[in-house]
Amino acid sequence: MQWDYFLNQVISHRDALLQGTAITIGVSLSAIVAGTLLGIAIGVAVTYGIKPLRWPARVYIDIIRGTPVLVLVLATFYISSAVGLDLGAFQAGVLALTLFCASHVGEILRGALQALPRGQIEAGRAIGLTFAGIFRHILFPQALRYALPTWITAAVEMVKASTLLSVIGVAELLLTTQQIISNNFLNMQFYLLAGLIYFLIDFAIEQVGRYVGRRLDRPARRTT
Amino acid sequence: MSYHFNFAPILAQWPLLLSGIGLGLLLALVSIAIGSLLGLVVAFATRAPSRWLASLAFAWISVLRNLPILVIVLFLFFGMPQLGLSLDKISSFIVALSLYTSAYMAEVFRAGLLSVPPGLIEAGQAIGLTRSRIQRDIVLPIMFRNALPAFGNNFVSLFKDTSLAATIAVPELTYYARKINSETFRVIEVWLVASLLYIVCCYAITLILRALEKRLVLEAN
């Protein structure tokens, strides 16, 4: 095996690899942030919304979660250009991942909110809070604690799903890797390297999630 | 905007779409079978007395769960021939999917094992059952029943993951959708139909598994 050659190739392509990694992180981060915001709205609508809000949110979650992410990515990319929405591959990809992330966050939040005792809403009402107040001060902080582990899993899924953007030509880490391979044919070594970088990113997210989870758990243990 | 929907060119290709779904289901079934067996071994290995073996099992789970499946697919299909291991694209994809899902199934079985009440094992010991009979008659049945719902979820995700086979030109549904997309230019229609087919299949799988789950739990009680 040509490991010397491989190391040389890594060094000479380091800028491309770094840029690809940066785009992977950028794509994932944008999709996680936008998808989480949209997902919170959907999760609240599906749990507490009036019927005309609840049903569309439910249908949204079921449709997006029933479709493979690759199909979502391809559909968003091709359909957006077919209807004259001039999104580039990057924007279309981020949009697809955002829609995907929102459906997961919506479902995660619904699960967490439904696990909370109903009496807490009534208690909030009894002390004169509006629904917004009840949600912000009572429901959301508790739901956050329940939902954090699954949300972290969803964030890791987003980084993994960002590889699918290579199919529509976004030069994230995987496509960059493929471009490098087409020059030097070091398939195994460069896919291993890409795998290692993805693993490190995802592992880091998991560790941060665990740390935050422990921090969130602490006051709860103290009071009980 | 006025867009004239025309589904006829897509629906005319129904034999292709159908065979695509069939292959996807087949890939998912074979991979979940291999992945579950492998996952079961890994789950038991996490509880092995040997620390070395247990850490290896945990590393297996952690590494495979944190790798994008597409990277695993491409590594196996394009990378392994460099080590002299060439598989055809379908076998290569099945290996990738089985390895990937073995990590998730290991987690499912591990959680199932942890949920077996220790009192039941002690009860088995008290009436003089051997270790292997305790495993076979007490631990495994309870573990499988507890693992059923998560198993179903994994199978549905696995079926959706078969769409990735399109990237190495395995002719499943997404592959045909892309092909019809570029041949007919009925872009919106083809992706609507493909999504709908996936959603219907996932829903049908969920319903079947739920019915199966109910029957198994009823029988067990």
Side-chain angles (χ1 to χ4, degrees), chain B residues 145 213-221:
Chain B
R145 211 199 311 164
E213 219 172 276
K214 256 193 202 143
R215 271 190 54 181
L216 284 174
V217 172
L218 273 181
E219 272 169 24
N221 293 338

Side-chain angles (χ1 to χ4, degrees), chain B residues 28-42 60 94-95 97-106 109 151 158:
Chain B
L29 274 172
V30 176
S31 307
I32 196 106
I34 304 173
S36 297
L37 282 176
L38 205 54
L40 195 60
V41 174
V42 176
W60 178 277
I94 287 175
V95 173
L97 215 54
S98 303
L99 289 176
Y100 184 68
T101 203
S102 77
Y104 287 87
M105 289 313 297
F109 288 134
F151 177 85
L158 201 61

Side-chain angles (χ1 to χ4, degrees), chain A residues 63 65-66 68 70-71 74 78 83 156-157 160 163-164 174 178 187-189 192 195 198-199 202 206, chain B residues 62-63 65-68 70 74-75 78-79 82-83 100 104 160 163-164 174 181 187-188 191 198-199 202:
Chain A
I63 286 184
R65 277 166 54 100
L70 179 58
V71 173
L74 292 169
Y78 286 119
V83 298
V156 170
E157 287 302 318
K160 287 157 67 176
T163 55
L164 302 177
L174 185 57
Q178 287 172 317
N187 283 288
M188 196 189 65
Q189 292 89 335
L192 269 181
Y198 280 113
F199 175 77
D202 290 338
E206 267 191 358
Chain B
S62 170
V63 167
R65 274 176 56 113
N66 283 324
L67 281 183
L70 187 53
L74 296 176
F75 172 75
F78 294 110
Q82 243 166 286
L83 292 178
Y100 184 68
Y104 287 87
K160 289 192 287 171
S163 62
L164 293 172
T174 307
N181 178 35
V187 172
I188 302 179
W191 293 111
Y198 274 112
I199 292 165
C202 288

Side-chain angles (χ1 to χ4, degrees), chain B residues 5-192:
Chain B
F5 282 96
N6 180 9
F7 285 97
I10 286 105
L11 297 178
Q13 308 273 16
W14 67 268
L16 288 187
L17 297 174
L18 208 64
S19 80
I21 295 173
L23 184 56
L25 282 172
L26 188 70
L27 291 173
L29 274 172
V30 176
S31 307
I32 196 106
I34 304 173
S36 297
L37 282 176
L38 205 54
L40 195 60
V41 174
V42 176
F44 274 100
T46 60
R47 290 155 57 97
S50 144
R51 283 191 70 123
W52 187 82
L53 189 60
S55 328
L56 190 72
F58 278 113
W60 178 277
I61 294 173
S62 170
V63 167
L64 284 171
R65 274 176 56 113
N66 283 324
L67 281 183
I69 166 88
L70 187 53
V71 173
I72 304 176
V73 169
L74 296 176
F75 172 75
L76 281 174
F77 186 61
F78 294 110
M80 288 317 270
Q82 243 166 286
L83 292 178
L85 238 163
S86 299
L87 289 173
D88 63 277
K89 53 198 178 189
I90 289 186
S91 322
S92 163
F93 185 75
I94 287 175
V95 173
L97 215 54
S98 303
L99 289 176
Y100 184 68
T101 203
S102 77
Y104 287 87
M105 289 313 297
E107 282 284 85
V108 169
F109 288 134
R110 206 170 67 84
L113 283 176
L114 288 174
S115 66
V116 177
L120 283 178
I121 297 171
E122 284 158 21
Q125 284 163 346
I127 57 169
L129 292 180
T130 58
R131 269 189 67 125
S132 60
R133 280 210 60 190
I134 291 177
Q135 293 292 331
R136 203 190 63 201
D137 295 338
I138 300 176
V139 176
L140 280 178
I142 298 176
M143 180 200 75
F144 276 121
R145 211 199 311 164
N146 291 340
L148 261 172
F151 177 85
N153 288 341
N154 271 340
F155 185 69
V156 172
S157 342
L158 201 61
F159 174 63
K160 289 192 287 171
D161 285 338
T162 59
S163 62
L164 293 172
T167 57
I168 55 172
V170 173
E172 46 65 70
L173 181 53
T174 307
Y175 172 87
Y176 284 126
R178 283 174 85 177
K179 189 166 176 271
I180 298 170
N181 178 35
S182 57
E183 281 168 4
T184 63
F185 296 109
R186 305 305 313 183
V187 172
I188 302 179
E189 291 89 335
V190 76
W191 293 111
L192 280 180

Side-chain angles (χ1 to χ4, degrees), chain A residues 53-96:
Chain A
L53 275 179
R54 193 159 72 221
W55 283 102
R58 186 72 255 166
V59 168
Y60 174 88
I61 291 177
D62 286 346
I63 286 184
I64 303 283
R65 277 166 54 100
T67 312
V69 200
L70 179 58
V71 173
L72 270 182
V73 169
L74 292 169
T76 312
F77 179 63
Y78 286 119
I79 291 180
S80 66
S81 66
V83 298
L85 254 177
D86 218 6
L87 299 178
F90 182 86
Q91 282 106 322
V94 171
L95 177 61

